[in-house]
Amino acid sequence: MSVRTRVAPSPTGDPHVGTAYIALFNRAFAKQQGGEFLLRIEDTDQLRSTPESEAAIMQALTWLGLDWDEGPGKEGSKGPYRQSERSALYQQHAKQLVDQGHAFHCFCSEQRLNDLRERQREAGESIGYDGHCMHLSPQEVASKLAAGEANVVRMKVPTEGEAVFNDMLRGEIRIPWAQVDMQVLLKSDGLPSYHLANVVDDHLMEISHVIRGEEWISSTPKHVLLYQYFDWQPPVFCHLPLLRNADKSKLSKRKNPTSILYYQKLGVLPEVLLNYLGLMGGTMPEDQELFSFEQMAEQFRLDNMTLGGPVFDLQKLQWLNGRYLREQHNPEQLLARLHDWAFNSPHALQILPLLQQRIETLSDVAPLMLPFVTGLPSLQSEQFVHKKLDEQQVKEALQFMLWRLESQRHWHKDAILNVVTQTAQRYELKMRDMMPLLFAAIMGTSASVSVLEAMVVIGPDLCRARLRHALELLGGWSKKQAKQIEKDYQLWSASLETA
Ligand code: GLU
């Protein structure tokens, strides 16, 4: 059997380091085994998927050197590789399952499902569909369908016994069927759920090894059952331990920058990010610390991966990056890296129009340019003293701007301006009273170009990291405060949505 692996990101946000981590192990394993590595875009969630996110994921993987043998832009014989272009296939497979009695049409209303969940919650039962529509007669189903009643297709799931499957790292896993819901396979709009699309595609794309994050373990019983219903050979499953924050919670953008683009902007070298991610799980012989992708592909042992959640430690990543820069680059090579990173004409030409009107000599350019080539600026708390807001309100305003910026789907000047205006209104301030706080956090200096224009060029990831950095400088939040502020924020942002 030839080895075929894949990474299957959903394009619903910034390209996540977790995606790079999964892609790296999949690509290295495929290479080691002389197989192929695929990229599949799982964009069945039409509301949350965006072409910008898809483009950013592909760009980030390419920057890291994690290119794919088949996928968007590299069509092979098993395409298309975007799920939104494969709807007919899923419908056909859902129909097959219904015809064979493994799945059924469910006509239950949202209201009935909500009531059911409520009842189950009150009774302390596990939450899940109760099989109501499974018992409709074929005539009833036919007449409802003929009348055009809205419906979904659900898979049948045994009520007793256990799902049993093997995981490359954990051996046999058993999960009682009672914990597995009768999953929706096809939604009422005819689009597939993740589960159906994922299994159909893994089969049709001849994926031999499904190497993915451990958060999918609880979904695997449904997948294994689907393979059985279709009478297909399931792939080997290998669930990798999730990357963690320092406090061992799942790596999240609330606690760490998680976007690959952030690390790119910070000036982390792509091969260092790969090396660092490759260290997670300790799969290299003799705990080797510095290695290239090629060395990893040759020597790592996927089945040796340790299961303790590896901590994504920014300091360690920066330390490793420093070693590469110092030990593996002469000045010419360093110059070439700087050129690739930010010291190049296209980047300079984005910045120069913003500052050209403010200079008298060429040497005036350097300080004005600084915020564009800095990671996290060195800040002083005095920069955040405000004439109209107290310390607590300053922090709160920065936090609210950060969260509002996090929720922007598109990053442009008007969207950023809108966030500042809304925040100013909350404190009954004029825009020009709110601006200095943002300016201090983002630019770090007392004089530079317009912060809004600069933020567009600096990009969302680094801007958010700088706001987070300012918040940390101001002391961050205690657990109790964090809860309260989150509540206040929810209320405020809900009021903005409805305004
Ligand atoms: N689309 C899923 C994700 O975003 C893929 C999970 C899998 O690999 O099966 O992670």
Side-chain angles (χ1 to χ4, degrees):
M1 174 186 65
S2 74
V3 166
R4 285 170 61 91
T5 64
R6 62 16 171 217
V7 67
S10 301
T12 54
D14 298 327
H16 199 281
V17 281
T19 302
Y21 161 70
I22 300 292
L24 167 64
F25 280 84
N26 272 283
R27 189 176 187 278
F29 184 71
K31 177 149 185 159
Q32 183 171 70
Q33 305 292 318
E36 276 123 29
F37 166 63
L38 283 72
L39 170 65
R40 182 170 72 229
I41 300 293
E42 299 210 327
D43 55 351
T44 53
D45 184 341
Q46 282 199 314
L47 278 180
R48 293 175 60 231
S49 300
T50 63
E52 289 93 336
S53 168
E54 179 188 306
I57 291 172
M58 302 211 313
Q59 191 201 335
L61 291 177
T62 307
W63 174 67
L64 286 167
L66 295 174
D67 42 344
W68 45 98
D69 300 304
E70 285 173 37
K74 248 194 165 178
E75 302 302 316
S77 59
K78 311 284 184 234
Y81 297 90
R82 232 176 245 110
Q83 290 188 329
S84 56
E85 295 166 19
R86 300 171 64 83
S87 300
L89 278 171
Y90 310 127
Q91 280 164 7
Q92 188 186 317
H93 282 86
K95 181 172 180 318
Q96 180 187 335
L97 291 179
V98 174
D99 291 347
Q100 293 174 342
H102 296 308
F104 59 95
H105 291 280
C106 167
F107 301 89
C108 289
S109 65
E110 209 41 57
Q111 184 60 46
R112 178 175 186 276
L113 296 174
N114 285 340
D115 293 348
L116 172 66
R117 270 193 291 268
E118 200 47 45
R119 270 207 311 280
Q120 288 170 331
R121 206 166 289 133
E122 274 168 21
E125 293 167 8
S126 53
I127 311 287
Y129 186 64
D130 59 356
H132 182 74
C133 289
M134 201 163 69
H135 309 294
L136 295 175
S137 70
Q139 292 74 17
E140 280 172 302
V141 174
S143 77
K144 280 174 183 291
L145 289 177
E149 266 192 48
N151 72 95
V152 300
V153 172
R154 287 181 189 274
M155 71 188 287
K156 290 187 183 169
V157 172
T159 44
E160 282 168 12
E162 289 175 325
V164 184
F165 58 93
N166 265 304
D167 177 273
M168 196 185 204
L169 305 178
R170 297 165 178 78
E172 192 176 88
I173 296 183
R174 291 173 170 268
I175 298 179
W177 285 117
Q179 288 174 17
V180 180
D181 196 11
M182 294 184 208
Q183 180 65 49
V184 172
L185 298 177
L186 215 53
K187 298 180 267 189
S188 55
D189 56 7
L191 289 176
S193 65
Y194 151 74
H195 306 273
L196 177 68
N198 188 270
V199 165
V200 166
D201 286 351
D202 280 342
H203 174 73
L204 295 179
M205 294 180 182
E206 294 178 9
I207 299 302
S208 62
H209 291 71
V210 166
I211 305 168
R212 60 182 171 195
E214 66 192 342
E215 76 262 45
W216 300 104
I217 290 181
S218 58
S219 298
T220 308
K222 295 171 195 168
H223 301 177
V224 176
L225 190 59
L226 284 173
Y227 280 98
Q228 199 181 309
Y229 285 165
F230 284 121
D231 201 14
W232 293 338
Q233 171 77 25
V236 174
F237 290 104
C238 176
H239 291 95
L240 302 184
L242 286 181
L243 301 179
R244 307 266 161 191
N245 298 308
D247 63 6
K248 287 280 178 178
S249 56
K250 178 177 160 186
L251 189 66
S252 65
K253 67 176 174 196
R254 285 279 164 106
K255 299 195 176 148
N256 262 310
T258 52
S259 165
I260 299 167
L261 302 176
Y262 168 75
Y263 295 97
Q264 185 181 22
K265 283 254 161 80
L266 197 62
V268 170
L269 305 176
E271 70 268 31
V272 179
L273 190 51
L274 281 194
N275 184 161
Y276 183 68
L277 292 170
L279 283 171
M280 304 282 137
T283 55
M284 288 297 276
E286 289 153 28
D287 290 331
Q288 202 177 318
E289 212 160 34
L290 262 67
F291 47 85
S292 64
F293 172 78
E294 279 68 31
Q295 287 167 321
M296 172 170 168
E298 226 163 80
Q299 299 171 29
F300 89 120
R301 287 278 312 275
L302 184 57
D303 53 357
N304 247 1
M305 188 132 187
T306 44
L307 291 178
V311 172
F312 190 83
D313 176 350
L314 220 108
Q315 251 112 45
K316 173 122 197 236
L317 173 64
Q318 297 210 35
W319 168 84
L320 194 66
N321 205 54
R323 279 197 62 183
Y324 267 75
L325 287 176
R326 291 189 302 271
E327 295 169 21
Q328 304 195 356
H329 291 78
N330 62 28
E332 279 81 24
Q333 289 165 324
L334 182 58
L335 182 62
R337 299 311 293 246
L338 281 167
H339 182 269
D340 285 348
W341 172 63
F343 288 39
N344 54 52
S345 305
H347 190 226
L349 285 173
Q350 278 186 296
I351 304 165
L352 291 177
L354 308 182
L355 54 79
Q356 197 166 3
Q357 298 311 318
R358 302 173 189 244
I359 56 171
E360 287 172 350
T361 62
L362 293 177
S363 60
D364 288 339
V365 169
L368 295 174
M369 211 148 196
L370 196 62
F372 298 92
V373 287
T374 299
L376 301 177
S378 64
L379 302 174
Q380 312 296 326
S381 50
E382 297 80 67
Q383 289 171 270
F384 296 91
V385 175
H386 198 274
K387 13 183 225 308
K388 298 189 175 147
L389 300 180
D390 65 26
E391 235 175 90
Q392 181 72 13
Q393 288 171 316
V394 164
K395 261 169 48 178
E396 200 183 80
L398 288 169
Q399 181 69 74
F400 283 11
M401 282 195 276
L402 169 59
W403 282 340
R404 283 304 286 172
L405 290 173
E406 267 174 10
S407 67
Q408 300 303 307
R409 270 160 63 104
H410 303 286
W411 190 256
H412 48 70
K413 195 175 153 191
D414 291 343
I416 305 169
L417 181 65
N418 196 25
V419 169
V420 188
T421 314
Q422 288 170 337
T423 314
Q425 279 164 358
R426 180 183 157 89
Y427 298 96
E428 292 171 9
L429 290 179
K430 298 218 168 66
M431 262 294 277
R432 64 161 191 273
D433 288 325
M434 191 47 73
M435 236 21 165
L437 287 182
L438 188 66
F439 189 91
I442 301 291
M443 310 299 270
T445 55
S446 53
S448 189
V449 304
S450 143
V451 61
L452 295 179
E453 311 260 11
M455 284 174 79
V456 174
V457 177
I458 293 170
D461 318 282
L462 194 50
C463 287
R464 292 194 307 247
R466 288 185 188 174
L467 278 164
R468 222 175 285 125
H469 176 60
L471 277 162
E472 274 160 29
L473 170 88
L474 299 175
W477 304 107
S478 68
K479 265 213 172 111
K480 198 167 144 206
Q481 284 174 324
K483 261 206 184 133
Q484 185 56 47
I485 184 117
E486 194 134 348
K487 251 196 218 148
D488 296 346
Y489 175 73
Q490 296 304 352
L491 278 177
W492 177 59
S493 71
S495 75
L496 292 175
E497 306 303 338
T498 52

